[in-house]
Amino acid sequence: AASSHNGYPVVSATGKLCGLLLRDELVHFDDDARVADMMDRAPCLCHRHWPLERAHRLFVSVGLRHLVVIDVAESRPVGILTRHDLHVDDHAH
């Protein structure tokens, strides 16, 4: 609750991406729910070497709020792009 972030990558003990937990989804679950039950197990991803223009097109065409940036060779997240990062208008679908 103290963080201003809205999306959190969920990783395994070895650092591999398991899913994405969204703050907005937390209200739909009981306090004793497991992260595995709340997370999106198939979040939208992009490779860390993608051009930003490609990520921006994906945000606009699909209406994304978060895009997990991964190192494909290791299947681990290296960051998250948000609508704010790419200056995507909420009404630009």
Side-chain angles (χ1 to χ4, degrees):
S3 174
S4 63
H5 298 292
N6 293 312
Y8 304 90
V10 179
V11 297
S12 68
T14 60
K16 293 190 185 265
L17 182 67
C18 297
L20 182 67
L21 181 63
L22 299 176
R23 178 195 301 260
D24 295 349
E25 291 298 314
L26 297 178
V27 298
H28 301 291
F29 293 89
D30 295 328
D31 290 341
D32 59 346
R34 299 173 334 140
V35 170
D37 298 329
M38 295 183 282
M39 70 181 181
D40 178 353
R41 293 177 183 268
C44 287
L45 310 172
C46 75
H47 187 280
R48 68 182 181 141
H49 294 297
W50 272 19
L52 278 177
E53 296 84 18
R54 187 174 181 187
H56 186 270
R57 278 195 310 269
L58 185 59
F59 263 86
V60 173
S61 65
V62 180
L64 297 177
R65 293 179 56 204
H66 302 88
L67 187 60
V68 180
V69 182
I70 64 165
D71 179 311
V72 175
E74 298 180 21
S75 298
R76 65 178 182 86
V78 294
I80 293 183
L81 287 173
T82 67
R83 299 178 74 79
H84 182 310
D85 296 329
L86 297 176
H87 303 287
V88 175
D89 181 7
D90 284 331
H91 304 290
H93 296 289

